mmCIF file of all heavy atoms in Angstrom:
data_model
loop_
_atom_site.group_PDB
_atom_site.id
_atom_site.type_symbol
_atom_site.label_atom_id
_atom_site.label_comp_id
_atom_site.label_asym_id
_atom_site.label_seq_id
_atom_site.Cartn_x
_atom_site.Cartn_y
_atom_site.Cartn_z
ATOM 1 N N ASP A 1 18.808 -1.714 -10.950
ATOM 2 C CA ASP A 1 19.022 -2.575 -12.125
ATOM 3 C C ASP A 1 18.759 -1.729 -13.473
ATOM 4 O O ASP A 1 18.775 -2.327 -14.525
ATOM 5 C CB ASP A 1 18.307 -3.835 -12.027
ATOM 6 C CG ASP A 1 16.756 -3.567 -12.024
ATOM 7 O OD1 ASP A 1 16.289 -2.458 -12.147
ATOM 8 O OD2 ASP A 1 15.989 -4.616 -11.985
ATOM 9 N N GLY A 2 18.463 -0.437 -13.309
ATOM 10 C CA GLY A 2 18.119 0.358 -14.476
ATOM 11 C C GLY A 2 16.689 0.346 -14.837
ATOM 12 O O GLY A 2 16.259 1.109 -15.752
ATOM 13 N N ASP A 3 15.849 -0.421 -14.184
ATOM 14 C CA ASP A 3 14.450 -0.423 -14.450
ATOM 15 C C ASP A 3 13.734 0.585 -13.558
ATOM 16 O O ASP A 3 14.349 1.440 -12.930
ATOM 17 C CB ASP A 3 13.771 -1.840 -14.020
ATOM 18 C CG ASP A 3 12.514 -2.111 -14.727
ATOM 19 O OD1 ASP A 3 11.988 -1.176 -15.404
ATOM 20 O OD2 ASP A 3 12.000 -3.271 -14.627
ATOM 21 N N VAL A 4 12.421 0.631 -13.601
ATOM 22 C CA VAL A 4 11.595 1.585 -12.844
ATOM 23 C C VAL A 4 10.674 0.828 -11.848
ATOM 24 O O VAL A 4 10.131 -0.160 -12.431
ATOM 25 C CB VAL A 4 10.748 2.491 -13.794
ATOM 26 C CG1 VAL A 4 9.776 3.343 -12.908
ATOM 27 C CG2 VAL A 4 11.701 3.337 -14.635
ATOM 28 N N GLU A 5 10.645 1.241 -10.673
ATOM 29 C CA GLU A 5 9.681 0.524 -9.735
ATOM 30 C C GLU A 5 8.658 1.545 -9.384
ATOM 31 O O GLU A 5 8.787 2.731 -9.358
ATOM 32 C CB GLU A 5 10.412 0.024 -8.470
ATOM 33 C CG GLU A 5 10.990 1.105 -7.588
ATOM 34 C CD GLU A 5 11.661 0.498 -6.315
ATOM 35 O OE1 GLU A 5 11.920 -0.732 -6.339
ATOM 36 O OE2 GLU A 5 11.883 1.229 -5.360
ATOM 37 N N VAL A 6 7.428 0.968 -9.163
ATOM 38 C CA VAL A 6 6.244 1.758 -8.842
ATOM 39 C C VAL A 6 6.213 2.028 -7.352
ATOM 40 O O VAL A 6 6.337 1.003 -6.553
ATOM 41 C CB VAL A 6 4.951 1.072 -9.349
ATOM 42 C CG1 VAL A 6 3.708 1.807 -8.945
ATOM 43 C CG2 VAL A 6 4.966 0.822 -10.772
ATOM 44 N N VAL A 7 6.005 3.183 -6.968
ATOM 45 C CA VAL A 7 5.988 3.535 -5.513
ATOM 46 C C VAL A 7 4.587 4.250 -5.297
ATOM 47 O O VAL A 7 4.188 5.195 -6.048
ATOM 48 C CB VAL A 7 7.098 4.602 -5.141
ATOM 49 C CG1 VAL A 7 7.007 4.964 -3.669
ATOM 50 C CG2 VAL A 7 8.472 3.986 -5.394
ATOM 51 N N LEU A 8 3.898 3.836 -4.326
ATOM 52 C CA LEU A 8 2.530 4.166 -4.033
ATOM 53 C C LEU A 8 2.474 4.769 -2.574
ATOM 54 O O LEU A 8 2.980 4.199 -1.654
ATOM 55 C CB LEU A 8 1.576 3.025 -4.088
ATOM 56 C CG LEU A 8 0.119 3.275 -3.624
ATOM 57 C CD1 LEU A 8 -0.552 4.217 -4.660
ATOM 58 C CD2 LEU A 8 -0.683 1.880 -3.614
ATOM 59 N N PHE A 9 1.913 6.098 -2.616
ATOM 60 C CA PHE A 9 1.663 6.675 -1.246
ATOM 61 C C PHE A 9 0.174 6.705 -1.072
ATOM 62 O O PHE A 9 -0.586 6.997 -1.974
ATOM 63 C CB PHE A 9 2.187 8.099 -1.278
ATOM 64 C CG PHE A 9 3.701 8.172 -1.551
ATOM 65 C CD1 PHE A 9 4.286 8.391 -2.815
ATOM 66 C CD2 PHE A 9 4.523 8.186 -0.435
ATOM 67 C CE1 PHE A 9 5.547 8.367 -2.986
ATOM 68 C CE2 PHE A 9 5.961 8.188 -0.635
ATOM 69 C CZ PHE A 9 6.471 8.294 -1.906
ATOM 70 N N VAL A 10 -0.250 6.349 0.167
ATOM 71 C CA VAL A 10 -1.657 6.376 0.476
ATOM 72 C C VAL A 10 -1.992 7.153 1.628
ATOM 73 O O VAL A 10 -1.147 7.253 2.584
ATOM 74 C CB VAL A 10 -2.177 4.886 0.642
ATOM 75 C CG1 VAL A 10 -2.115 4.087 -0.638
ATOM 76 C CG2 VAL A 10 -1.431 4.191 1.694
ATOM 77 N N VAL A 11 -3.110 7.817 1.655
ATOM 78 C CA VAL A 11 -3.722 8.557 2.876
ATOM 79 C C VAL A 11 -4.742 7.572 3.283
ATOM 80 O O VAL A 11 -5.695 7.260 2.542
ATOM 81 C CB VAL A 11 -4.251 9.911 2.423
ATOM 82 C CG1 VAL A 11 -4.880 10.524 3.714
ATOM 83 C CG2 VAL A 11 -3.118 10.760 2.013
ATOM 84 N N MET A 12 -4.760 7.180 4.584
ATOM 85 C CA MET A 12 -5.697 6.229 5.109
ATOM 86 C C MET A 12 -7.001 7.026 5.552
ATOM 87 O O MET A 12 -6.929 8.203 5.895
ATOM 88 C CB MET A 12 -5.180 5.594 6.280
ATOM 89 C CG MET A 12 -3.811 4.815 6.061
ATOM 90 S SD MET A 12 -3.854 3.777 4.609
ATOM 91 C CE MET A 12 -5.239 2.583 5.056
ATOM 92 N N ALA A 13 -8.051 6.357 5.349
ATOM 93 C CA ALA A 13 -9.401 6.867 5.855
ATOM 94 C C ALA A 13 -9.421 6.959 7.373
ATOM 95 O O ALA A 13 -8.496 6.328 8.023
ATOM 96 C CB ALA A 13 -10.549 5.848 5.372
ATOM 97 N N PRO A 14 -10.189 7.743 7.870
ATOM 98 C CA PRO A 14 -10.267 7.892 9.356
ATOM 99 C C PRO A 14 -10.255 6.568 10.094
ATOM 100 O O PRO A 14 -11.016 5.697 9.720
ATOM 101 C CB PRO A 14 -11.479 8.737 9.579
ATOM 102 C CG PRO A 14 -11.738 9.553 8.389
ATOM 103 C CD PRO A 14 -11.254 8.617 7.274
ATOM 104 N N GLU A 15 -9.388 6.429 11.161
ATOM 105 C CA GLU A 15 -9.364 5.270 12.045
ATOM 106 C C GLU A 15 -8.928 3.989 11.287
ATOM 107 O O GLU A 15 -9.190 2.962 11.753
ATOM 108 C CB GLU A 15 -10.718 5.004 12.639
ATOM 109 C CG GLU A 15 -11.281 6.201 13.486
ATOM 110 C CD GLU A 15 -12.605 5.955 14.154
ATOM 111 O OE1 GLU A 15 -13.077 4.798 14.019
ATOM 112 O OE2 GLU A 15 -13.051 6.891 14.768
ATOM 113 N N GLN A 16 -8.216 4.181 10.167
ATOM 114 C CA GLN A 16 -7.674 3.083 9.417
ATOM 115 C C GLN A 16 -6.166 3.079 9.416
ATOM 116 O O GLN A 16 -5.512 4.146 9.585
ATOM 117 C CB GLN A 16 -8.193 3.037 7.922
ATOM 118 C CG GLN A 16 -9.637 2.987 7.751
ATOM 119 C CD GLN A 16 -10.199 1.577 8.219
ATOM 120 O OE1 GLN A 16 -9.573 0.539 8.217
ATOM 121 N NE2 GLN A 16 -11.425 1.684 8.820
ATOM 122 N N THR A 17 -5.527 1.953 9.358
ATOM 123 C CA THR A 17 -4.109 1.841 9.362
ATOM 124 C C THR A 17 -3.602 1.023 8.160
ATOM 125 O O THR A 17 -4.253 0.074 7.773
ATOM 126 C CB THR A 17 -3.673 1.160 10.696
ATOM 127 O OG1 THR A 17 -4.184 1.948 11.774
ATOM 128 C CG2 THR A 17 -2.057 1.099 10.833
ATOM 129 N N LEU A 18 -2.446 1.326 7.701
ATOM 130 C CA LEU A 18 -1.828 0.530 6.584
ATOM 131 C C LEU A 18 -1.198 -0.723 7.227
ATOM 132 O O LEU A 18 -0.065 -0.584 7.743
ATOM 133 C CB LEU A 18 -0.799 1.358 5.813
ATOM 134 C CG LEU A 18 -0.157 0.666 4.665
ATOM 135 C CD1 LEU A 18 -1.164 0.245 3.647
ATOM 136 C CD2 LEU A 18 0.885 1.588 3.948
ATOM 137 N N THR A 19 -1.804 -1.819 7.181
ATOM 138 C CA THR A 19 -1.325 -2.991 7.761
ATOM 139 C C THR A 19 -0.703 -3.874 6.633
ATOM 140 O O THR A 19 -0.936 -3.655 5.449
ATOM 141 C CB THR A 19 -2.428 -3.870 8.429
ATOM 142 O OG1 THR A 19 -3.414 -4.170 7.428
ATOM 143 C CG2 THR A 19 -3.127 -3.030 9.506
ATOM 144 N N PRO A 20 0.068 -4.829 6.977
ATOM 145 C CA PRO A 20 0.584 -5.840 5.967
ATOM 146 C C PRO A 20 -0.521 -6.530 5.187
ATOM 147 O O PRO A 20 -0.355 -6.747 3.940
ATOM 148 C CB PRO A 20 1.482 -6.863 6.816
ATOM 149 C CG PRO A 20 1.933 -6.060 7.935
ATOM 150 C CD PRO A 20 0.801 -5.147 8.285
ATOM 151 N N GLU A 21 -1.614 -6.803 5.957
ATOM 152 C CA GLU A 21 -2.764 -7.461 5.198
ATOM 153 C C GLU A 21 -3.341 -6.577 4.157
ATOM 154 O O GLU A 21 -3.705 -6.892 3.091
ATOM 155 C CB GLU A 21 -3.750 -7.885 6.314
ATOM 156 C CG GLU A 21 -4.950 -8.635 5.698
ATOM 157 C CD GLU A 21 -6.021 -7.746 5.108
ATOM 158 O OE1 GLU A 21 -6.163 -6.673 5.479
ATOM 159 O OE2 GLU A 21 -6.664 -8.228 4.111
ATOM 160 N N LEU A 22 -3.456 -5.211 4.569
ATOM 161 C CA LEU A 22 -4.041 -4.261 3.562
ATOM 162 C C LEU A 22 -3.070 -4.028 2.356
ATOM 163 O O LEU A 22 -3.532 -3.909 1.179
ATOM 164 C CB LEU A 22 -4.387 -2.937 4.349
ATOM 165 C CG LEU A 22 -4.928 -1.851 3.368
ATOM 166 C CD1 LEU A 22 -6.244 -2.297 2.681
ATOM 167 C CD2 LEU A 22 -5.223 -0.584 4.153
ATOM 168 N N GLU A 23 -1.836 -4.002 2.646
ATOM 169 C CA GLU A 23 -0.813 -3.834 1.625
ATOM 170 C C GLU A 23 -0.934 -4.982 0.545
ATOM 171 O O GLU A 23 -0.909 -4.802 -0.634
ATOM 172 C CB GLU A 23 0.572 -3.840 2.083
ATOM 173 C CG GLU A 23 1.002 -2.525 2.771
ATOM 174 C CD GLU A 23 2.494 -2.405 2.951
ATOM 175 O OE1 GLU A 23 3.243 -2.783 2.000
ATOM 176 O OE2 GLU A 23 2.953 -2.016 3.998
ATOM 177 N N LYS A 24 -1.113 -6.246 1.127
ATOM 178 C CA LYS A 24 -1.253 -7.378 0.320
ATOM 179 C C LYS A 24 -2.551 -7.279 -0.488
ATOM 180 O O LYS A 24 -2.526 -7.647 -1.729
ATOM 181 C CB LYS A 24 -1.338 -8.636 1.073
ATOM 182 C CG LYS A 24 -1.362 -9.896 0.365
ATOM 183 C CD LYS A 24 -1.313 -11.128 1.301
ATOM 184 C CE LYS A 24 -1.430 -12.385 0.526
ATOM 185 N NZ LYS A 24 -1.416 -13.682 1.366
ATOM 186 N N ARG A 25 -3.568 -6.789 0.131
ATOM 187 C CA ARG A 25 -4.939 -6.652 -0.620
ATOM 188 C C ARG A 25 -4.802 -5.597 -1.659
ATOM 189 O O ARG A 25 -5.434 -5.807 -2.821
ATOM 190 C CB ARG A 25 -5.978 -6.391 0.387
ATOM 191 C CG ARG A 25 -7.440 -6.353 -0.182
ATOM 192 C CD ARG A 25 -8.380 -6.797 0.834
ATOM 193 N NE ARG A 25 -8.328 -6.053 2.029
ATOM 194 C CZ ARG A 25 -9.030 -4.883 2.310
ATOM 195 N NH1 ARG A 25 -9.865 -4.397 1.325
ATOM 196 N NH2 ARG A 25 -8.970 -4.267 3.434
ATOM 197 N N ILE A 26 -4.141 -4.497 -1.470
ATOM 198 C CA ILE A 26 -3.977 -3.460 -2.468
ATOM 199 C C ILE A 26 -3.176 -4.062 -3.650
ATOM 200 O O ILE A 26 -3.702 -3.925 -4.798
ATOM 201 C CB ILE A 26 -3.196 -2.212 -1.852
ATOM 202 C CG1 ILE A 26 -4.104 -1.493 -0.914
ATOM 203 C CG2 ILE A 26 -2.729 -1.348 -2.958
ATOM 204 C CD1 ILE A 26 -3.356 -0.416 -0.125
ATOM 205 N N ARG A 27 -2.099 -4.791 -3.394
ATOM 206 C CA ARG A 27 -1.322 -5.325 -4.495
ATOM 207 C C ARG A 27 -2.120 -6.350 -5.291
ATOM 208 O O ARG A 27 -2.053 -6.369 -6.476
ATOM 209 C CB ARG A 27 -0.039 -5.930 -3.985
ATOM 210 C CG ARG A 27 1.012 -4.918 -3.520
ATOM 211 C CD ARG A 27 2.307 -5.566 -3.267
ATOM 212 N NE ARG A 27 3.279 -4.502 -2.966
ATOM 213 C CZ ARG A 27 3.639 -4.153 -1.690
ATOM 214 N NH1 ARG A 27 3.146 -4.730 -0.579
ATOM 215 N NH2 ARG A 27 4.552 -3.232 -1.538
ATOM 216 N N SER A 28 -2.911 -7.179 -4.578
ATOM 217 C CA SER A 28 -3.656 -8.163 -5.224
ATOM 218 C C SER A 28 -4.750 -7.599 -6.090
ATOM 219 O O SER A 28 -4.982 -8.056 -7.205
ATOM 220 C CB SER A 28 -4.343 -9.084 -4.146
ATOM 221 O OG SER A 28 -3.289 -9.826 -3.425
#
């Protein structure tokens, strides 16, 4: 649409996984 969207790349800490719940918490 001509705008800019923010894209975030994350490296997880040992034994951690990027889950939908964590994504929600990051955004919140």
Side-chain angles (χ1 to χ4, degrees):
D1 63 1
D3 201 354
V4 173
E5 65 179 18
V6 178
V7 180
L8 175 65
F9 299 92
V10 293
V11 176
M12 305 309 300
E15 301 181 2
Q16 298 295 327
T17 304
L18 180 62
T19 63
E21 185 279 330
L22 179 57
E23 285 196 43
K24 183 177 180 180
R25 184 148 54 91
I26 290 172
R27 288 190 174 95
S28 296

